[in-house]
Amino acid sequence: MLKVKAFGLTCGIFCAVVGLWATLLTIWGKGMAPFEWLNQFYLGWLLPTYVGIILNMVITFIDGLIFGLLFALVYNKIAK
């Protein structure tokens, strides 16, 4: 059995770190592929700027949190 809140928070934090990483790579000119790939899922909401880092991390955290919670709930239902 998964702890739903813990798994959701872990997924949210992981997704926020990935959003930060992809944005920083783009800002520093090291590669746009990860940012462009993520931006496809968020319909152009992500911004490749230093100010956009906070927005990107919030958006990706919320997305990871929601899907982590849903995954843990479904997993626990199936595992019973």
Side-chain angles (χ1 to χ4, degrees), residues 45-56:
W45 284 29
L46 301 183
L47 305 171
T49 62
Y50 284 110
V51 176
I53 288 174
I54 302 299
L55 176 64
N56 298 351

Side-chain angles (χ1 to χ4, degrees), residues 10-26 34-35 37-38 42 46 53 56-57 60-61:
T10 302
C11 289
I13 292 168
F14 178 77
C15 288
V17 170
V18 170
L20 170 67
W21 169 75
T23 306
L24 286 176
L25 281 179
T26 301
F35 183 82
W37 184 78
L38 274 178
Y42 296 104
L46 301 183
I53 288 174
N56 298 351
M57 289 181 68
T60 53
F61 174 80

